[in-house]
Amino acid sequence: MKFIFLGPPGAGKGTLAAKVAEEYKLPHISTGDIFRAAIKNQTPLGIKVKAIIDSGALVSDDITIELVKDRLSQDDAQNGFILDGFPRTIPQAEALAGIVAIDAAVNFDIADDAVIERLSGRRVCKGCGKNYHVKFMPPKKDGLCDDCNGELYTRDDDKIESIKNRLVVYRKQTAPLIDYYRSKNLLTDIDARPATEAVLAEFRTKFPLK
């Protein structure tokens, strides 16, 4: 199966993609990983990407599409894959359609207020980097890590204003993409609000392993 995973920050998309990839024996391909691999391997495109990122600019659609095309041509992606973080725009989706026919775009659907609750409640240990959540996975002692007693803090991108900005960008970019795949009868909505195992169970029901 050839999947595209869509979902706002905080939908748990990365966690779900990793679990589905393992269970369905598919490569989990994210644009971030593609960029890092190309830079590390110093491919011609990787050298170009590094120069763009170092300058603080955004990698263009043309280069991103070229990198994705190259990644999808590799042996491990021939029987299927999970694309995470690509496409982000209609032009990228149209370019992808010219490279490969996907089986389903899976939209992990979650309301903005649930995203804000999830992300704004996240706390990270300054000492060992362990993650907590004030509501869903609180530490034993308020503000301190269970493992190393380090101080817990809120990352800048988990502050409410930052989350709201990220959601505005996501909704603006991705709402048209959801409509695009729905119009082609390729979109499947999955409720991303429950715990990971429940979301995974719904995924298995909608896409049973053959």
Side-chain angles (χ1 to χ4, degrees):
M1 291 286 281
K2 298 178 174 77
F3 293 112
I4 291 167
F5 277 14
L6 302 170
K13 195 165 78 283
T15 304
L16 290 159
K19 287 184 179 290
V20 171
E22 186 181 354
E23 197 169 310
Y24 286 62
K25 305 286 185 283
L26 298 171
H28 171 203
I29 301 169
S30 78
T31 41
D33 290 345
I34 295 173
F35 289 168
R36 282 187 287 274
I39 291 166
K40 186 182 171 191
N41 297 329
Q42 295 195 317
T43 65
L45 273 171
I47 292 163
K48 202 181 277 190
V49 167
K50 186 176 188 306
I52 293 164
I53 291 170
D54 286 350
S55 76
L58 291 173
V59 179
S60 71
D61 271 6
D62 288 351
I63 292 174
T64 303
I65 290 158
E66 208 52 46
L67 283 164
V68 169
K69 185 177 180 180
D70 178 63
R71 179 65 186 88
L72 295 181
S73 71
Q74 292 171 24
D75 290 345
D76 67 337
Q78 296 317 296
N79 293 323
F81 50 78
I82 297 163
L83 267 178
D84 174 11
F86 183 92
R88 286 183 187 274
T89 61
I90 300 288
Q92 287 184 355
E94 287 171 342
L96 180 65
I99 297 166
V100 67
I102 68 145
D103 296 305
V106 185
N107 177 36
F108 292 98
D109 193 29
I110 183 168
D112 287 1
D113 57 353
V115 167
I116 290 165
E117 181 183 44
R118 273 188 189 181
L119 296 183
S120 66
R122 191 159 53 183
R123 299 291 181 270
V124 183
C125 173
K126 282 185 178 175
C128 68
K130 186 173 178 179
N131 281 295
Y132 293 88
H133 193 283
V134 293
K135 182 176 178 182
F136 306 120
M137 202 168 58
K140 288 173 185 154
K141 284 185 192 166
D142 194 31
L144 295 175
C145 177
D146 295 348
D147 292 353
C148 72
N149 221 36
E151 184 190 343
L152 304 184
Y153 75 103
T154 305
R155 292 183 345 193
D156 284 345
D157 60 349
D158 286 339
K159 288 174 181 168
I160 288 176
E161 277 313 306
S162 174
I163 297 165
K164 286 180 177 173
N165 288 337
R166 286 160 70 197
L167 283 167
V168 166
V169 170
Y170 176 80
R171 299 292 179 204
K172 188 177 174 184
Q173 283 187 335
T174 313
L177 210 51
I178 289 167
D179 293 340
Y180 173 86
Y181 284 114
R182 204 184 297 282
S183 73
K184 296 186 180 302
N185 294 319
L186 288 170
L187 193 83
T188 298
D189 288 306
I190 288 183
D191 185 0
R193 287 171 303 171
T196 303
E197 278 312 313
V199 179
L200 204 51
E202 187 182 347
F203 184 91
R204 289 187 196 107
T205 303
K206 289 186 171 169
F207 302 102
L209 265 170
K210 291 172 180 148

